[in-house]
Amino acid sequence: MAAIDVLNRQQLHDALEVLPHWRYRLGGLQSVFKLSSARAALDLLARIGDLAEAAGHHPDVDWRYNLLFLRLTSHDAGSEVTSRDAALAKEISAAAEEVSATAKPELNRTVELGIDTADPSAVAETWRLALGYKDGPYGDLVDPYGRGPNVWFQKTETPNSSRMHVDVHVCATESPAVLSAVEGTGAGLDHSHAPQWVIVTDAQQNRLCMCTEEGRGPDL
């Protein structure tokens, strides 16, 4: 497989079968590792840095006390998952296991902001400049530093009166528990598009979508 070959849906599935610490999310592999202390987290972060330098391929890492949030994607392959990402994820997991880190991928949720519009081109540049974002691969806007939520434009001839909504992405295996907890607040759930996404309506009629990786990923 060439270094920048994008993994198709079946290859992603096969890769995740041997990467239990990782989840696929919007063009990347994501995980979270919990350590015994901040010092231990920093030591693992240094080890991950060594692995990344040796591979010539670098993850996005967010250090939060004794937690490391990680994301792997190949920007030179259109911000999709390649064999390099899967290989480095395997090495990171092995390093984490050596220091008894606990994988907690369920802690990593991904948020997007959706905007209903009949003409995305009329508003996209305003949002791009205001946020300091760049054009994404799918007509969306993305933070070049991977810190803020993506913004995407839901093209519709009849935009909803409330034109903005939040998409929250969780793993399909974890979605039922999250949805059960959300429903317990009295929110309404529309499962018409499940398991890809479930529309959640709160007590004041605000909406968000709980999304999973089902049906997503390159179909090559």
Side-chain angles (χ1 to χ4, degrees):
M1 180 179 293
I4 60 170
D5 282 350
V6 174
L7 302 188
N8 63 31
R9 195 170 297 169
Q10 184 59 51
Q11 290 168 328
L12 274 170
H13 178 271
D14 294 342
L16 289 169
E17 285 289 302
V18 295
L19 294 171
H21 300 159
W22 298 81
R23 304 289 185 266
Y24 175 76
R25 190 79 50 73
L26 295 177
L29 297 177
Q30 298 190 173
S31 191
V32 181
F33 291 99
K34 183 176 182 179
L35 285 298
S36 59
S37 66
R39 178 71 262 173
L42 282 173
D43 289 342
L44 178 57
L45 177 56
R47 176 60 179 145
I48 292 170
D50 291 338
L51 293 172
E53 284 292 292
H57 190 53
H58 300 80
D60 294 330
V61 184
D62 184 2
W63 167 47
R64 300 289 170 148
Y65 186 60
N66 65 337
L67 295 170
L68 294 178
F69 292 75
L70 295 107
R71 175 177 170 83
L72 280 160
T73 190
S74 293
H75 299 293
D76 58 354
S79 296
E80 296 288 357
V81 176
T82 68
S83 56
R84 286 175 298 168
D85 300 302
L88 187 52
K90 184 176 181 180
E91 292 185 338
I92 290 172
S93 286
E97 289 180 340
E98 287 177 4
V99 296
S100 300
T102 302
K104 299 184 75 67
E106 70 277 5
L107 296 181
N108 208 338
R109 300 186 186 181
T110 304
V111 176
E112 292 185 301
L113 177 63
I115 301 176
D116 284 3
T117 174
D119 182 9
S121 65
V123 296
E125 188 67 358
T126 299
W127 284 86
R128 188 186 70 79
L129 292 172
L131 292 168
Y133 277 19
K134 66 179 182 179
D135 293 326
Y138 304 108
D140 54 351
L141 301 175
V142 299
D143 184 342
Y145 305 106
R147 298 177 66 248
N150 291 3
V151 177
W152 69 283
F153 302 94
Q154 181 168 280
K155 188 173 183 179
T156 172
E157 297 302 322
T158 56
N160 193 286
S161 57
S162 177
R163 294 194 173 198
M164 294 185 190
H165 71 275
V166 173
D167 290 338
V168 181
H169 295 260
V170 299
C171 181
T173 57
E174 294 145 11
S175 179
V178 175
L179 288 170
S180 178
V182 169
E183 189 172 28
T185 68
L189 303 184
D190 179 351
H191 291 269
S192 300
H193 303 281
Q196 288 89 344
W197 72 87
V198 173
I199 300 171
V200 178
T201 305
D202 70 15
Q204 295 182 357
Q205 302 306 299
N206 302 300
R207 291 183 176 182
L208 61 88
C209 291
M210 296 297 303
C211 308
T212 74
E213 74 278 14
E214 292 294 327
R216 291 177 177 265
D219 193 12
L220 304 175

